[in-house]
């Protein structure tokens, strides 16, 4: 998904391209994996945008609702990313370090079986592995 792509999608859903919304999208597009709510806040501040909490919350909710961004809760903190290349995450429970991992083939095969067995139309999945990174494990 490119920036233009996303703008078109927002317009199609009848949304406006506010400066805050546009800054959040550009920030997430510059990352290839999850970033925290705090990262988003500091990026906005750097661009002299200081919306109140409820505005940011509303913007993020709009983007999540229209499937433009994905939200993950990790240890009570919200993290966001733009779904482009399909991937999963390794999450360290101690330092909250997130590592992007690829392991798709196995799951696609598994989900076909699950769908059949449960008579369920699967449209997607999300998988996170929790544990400790080498630094925290030591
Ligand atoms: Zn990710
Ligand atoms: Zn760690
Ligand atoms: Zn997958």
């Amino acid at each position: 998904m490119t920036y233009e792509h996303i703008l078109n999608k927002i317009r199609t859903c009848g949304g406006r391209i506010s400066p805050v919304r546009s800054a959040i999208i550009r920030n997430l597009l510059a990352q290839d994996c999850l970033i925290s709510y705090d990262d988003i806040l500091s990026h906005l501040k750097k661009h002299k945008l200081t919306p109140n909490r409820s505005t940011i919350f509303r913007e993020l909710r709009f983007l999540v609702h229209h499937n433009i961004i994905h939200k993950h809760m990790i240890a009570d903190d919200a993290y966001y990313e733009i779904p482009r290349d399909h991937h999963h995450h390794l999450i360290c429970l101690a330092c909250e370090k997130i590592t992007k991992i690829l392991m798709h083939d196995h799951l696609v095969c598994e989900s076909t079986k699950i769908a059949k067995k449960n008579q369920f139309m699967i449209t997607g999945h999300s998988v996170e592995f929790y544990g400790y990174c080498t630094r925290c494990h030591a």
Side-chain angles (χ1 to χ4, degrees), residues 32-34 72 81 87-89 98 100:
D32 71 341
C33 200
L34 297 167
H72 288 268
E81 70 183 342
H87 63 268
H88 306 105
H89 303 108
I98 299 163
K100 179 174 163 174

Side-chain angles (χ1 to χ4, degrees), residues 27 35-45 53 56 60 77-80 96:
N27 185 17
I35 59 169
S36 68
Y37 176 81
D38 290 343
D39 289 335
I40 291 172
L41 278 193
S42 59
H43 177 88
L44 290 174
K45 229 182 245 166
R53 263 185 93 83
I56 302 174
L60 290 168
D77 293 320
Y79 286 78
Y80 300 88
E96 291 190 21

Side-chain angles (χ1 to χ4, degrees), residues 89-104:
H89 303 108
L90 288 181
I91 296 155
C92 178
L93 293 168
C95 66
E96 291 190 21
K97 177 179 142 89
I98 299 163
T99 310
K100 179 174 163 174
I101 51 162
L102 301 167
M103 43 150 263
H104 199 46

Side-chain angles (χ1 to χ4, degrees), residues 24-117:
I24 292 174
I25 293 164
R26 284 185 187 279
N27 185 17
L28 288 170
L29 274 175
Q31 313 295 324
D32 71 341
C33 200
L34 297 167
I35 59 169
S36 68
Y37 176 81
D38 290 343
D39 289 335
I40 291 172
L41 278 193
S42 59
H43 177 88
L44 290 174
K45 229 182 245 166
K46 223 165 44 194
H47 286 77
K48 309 259 180 292
L49 293 163
T50 49
N52 59 39
R53 263 185 93 83
S54 65
T55 303
I56 302 174
F57 185 71
R58 206 176 48 232
E59 292 294 355
L60 290 168
R61 201 175 44 186
F62 174 89
L63 296 169
V64 169
H65 178 76
H66 292 288
N67 205 27
I68 292 163
I69 67 175
H70 281 175
K71 178 183 179 180
H72 288 268
M73 290 303 292
I74 299 168
D76 290 339
D77 293 320
Y79 286 78
Y80 300 88
E81 70 183 342
I82 288 183
R84 280 169 292 183
D85 56 330
H86 178 87
H87 63 268
H88 306 105
H89 303 108
L90 288 181
I91 296 155
C92 178
L93 293 168
C95 66
E96 291 190 21
K97 177 179 142 89
I98 299 163
T99 310
K100 179 174 163 174
I101 51 162
L102 301 167
M103 43 150 263
H104 199 46
D105 293 352
H106 175 72
L107 273 176
V108 169
C109 177
E110 228 18 68
S111 68
T112 310
K113 280 191 231 159
I114 293 165
K116 209 168 163 184
K117 195 173 167 194

